[in-house]
Amino acid sequence: MEVTEIPEAPPEVQETSEAPETPETPEVSEAPEAPEQQAVPRVRRRGRGRGRTTLLIATAAVLGVVAGTCVGYLIQADREPTELPSLSQPSLPQAGGEGPQPLSAAQDRRVRTDGDLRKLLVERPSGARDTTSAEGVDGWMGLDAYADGYTRPTTAYSTLIDDEFRRAAVTSWQTGSTHSVLIRLVQYRQEDRLAARERVADEHYGEAEYDTDSWSVPGTGDGMAYVRKQPENKAGYLPMYTAEAHAWRGDIAVQIFVNDSRPITKAKIMDLAERQMERL
């Protein structure tokens, strides 16, 4: 019999299929090298021995001062006490002979001003009519009468009290029909300040408001005389020219007023001011 050919077996199927190619893993770059650590300077710790040495030195210094003070007290305690000088002073020999004579009223200005102030006023010219009674009583002006001569009597009264007003002597006269003169000596106690000088300074300040000719009064520090250029005009009266002089000496303020229907000369007001200051 004809044996049929047995067909060749198919090629063996590979049991495991060929695995796909694995993708290449990217190479991991090497880690950057860590920077080298800088060397940190080592801080030297303060030793305890030095602090103890300082403390010991300070303690020894304090003990030395205390010991020196104690020794000083002990030395002083052992010494004999020092005798104090006697409180009584040795008697001084008294000078012999008579003492100096007191100054006369002519030499001691204080004696003159503490006396009758009216005697220091300029004397009235012969033939002049006395008008003092219109300004005061028997040649004196009280505080009320003097303050009443100001434009604001109440304010002036309080100011005069603060200025330590003491007294005021006055004289006045008239020659002819229109020429008149008024002189006042105003005295202050001046226990706190130079009120006479301050009062005169106020009068100078007031005269600066007017149109005047002015001159210094000889023999005074800041005495001044004034003549107003324009007359004062009032209805029913003649025009009146005025002149004034203000000065001080010691505790007395001097006030001089001249009125006339005719212009007043410099010689007239200056003569009155000079003669009045000479009597002080």
Side-chain angles (χ1 to χ4, degrees):
M1 290 182 63
E2 197 176 8
V3 181
T4 59
E5 297 179 357
I6 299 172
E8 296 179 359
E12 292 180 2
V13 179
Q14 298 180 355
E15 294 181 24
T16 57
S17 60
E18 194 172 350
E21 296 182 358
T22 304
E24 296 181 359
T25 304
E27 296 181 0
V28 179
S29 62
E30 294 181 1
E33 296 182 358
E36 295 182 2
Q37 295 182 355
Q38 297 181 356
V40 179
R42 298 180 61 186
V43 179
R44 186 176 182 181
R45 299 182 63 183
R46 188 175 182 178
R48 296 181 180 178
R50 181 177 300 177
R52 291 179 178 177
T53 302
T54 304
L55 179 61
L56 291 175
I57 293 174
T59 304
V62 173
L63 292 176
V65 173
V66 174
T69 304
C70 294
V71 171
Y73 277 114
L74 292 175
I75 294 174
Q76 186 67 25
D78 291 339
R79 292 179 177 176
E80 294 293 332
T82 303
E83 296 183 1
L84 296 176
S86 176
L87 296 178
S88 61
Q89 298 294 328
S91 59
L92 299 176
Q94 187 174 1
E98 298 181 358
Q101 295 294 329
L103 296 176
S104 64
Q107 296 173 322
D108 190 348
R109 192 194 64 82
R110 187 71 178 182
V111 173
R112 299 200 310 273
T113 57
D114 282 346
D116 192 344
L117 204 60
R118 297 172 298 178
K119 295 181 179 180
L120 300 181
L121 289 163
V122 170
E123 296 181 358
R124 291 187 300 272
S126 60
R129 186 171 72 255
D130 182 13
T131 58
T132 303
S133 59
E135 297 293 334
V137 179
D138 195 22
W140 295 105
M141 289 190 71
L143 179 59
D144 294 341
Y146 182 63
D148 194 53
Y150 288 86
T151 55
R152 296 181 179 179
T154 303
T155 303
Y157 187 91
S158 300
T159 302
L160 290 169
I161 292 178
D162 294 338
D163 290 343
E164 299 177 321
F165 173 89
R166 180 180 176 184
R167 56 182 179 170
V170 58
T171 185
S172 63
W173 64 83
Q174 183 173 344
T175 57
S177 59
T178 58
H179 183 83
S180 62
V181 176
L182 169 65
I183 301 177
R184 295 176 186 152
L185 302 181
V186 186
Q187 191 173 33
Y188 300 88
R189 291 184 175 84
Q190 296 198 151
E191 295 179 358
D192 295 331
R193 64 181 189 273
L194 298 177
R197 180 178 182 178
E198 294 176 2
R199 177 57 58 186
V200 171
D202 291 341
E203 298 292 349
H204 292 333
Y205 180 78
E207 284 298 314
E209 300 178 1
Y210 300 95
D211 184 15
T212 62
D213 291 327
S214 59
W215 306 272
S216 298
V217 178
T220 64
D222 51 3
M224 297 291 294
Y226 303 91
V227 172
R228 296 183 184 178
K229 298 179 181 180
Q230 301 298 326
E232 295 180 2
N233 296 300
K234 291 184 179 180
Y237 294 89
L238 293 173
M240 190 63 62
Y241 291 89
T242 60
E244 299 182 11
H246 299 277
W248 66 280
R249 180 159 293 162
D251 55 357
I252 296 177
V254 178
Q255 300 175 334
I256 302 175
F257 304 92
V258 180
N259 297 330
D260 201 336
S261 59
R262 294 175 297 180
I264 302 170
T265 64
K266 171 186 175 182
K268 184 64 178 180
I269 187 64
M270 291 294 289
D271 176 65
L272 285 172
E274 290 178 16
R275 288 195 291 123
Q276 180 58 72
M277 296 307 297
E278 288 175 357
R279 297 178 68 90
L280 297 178

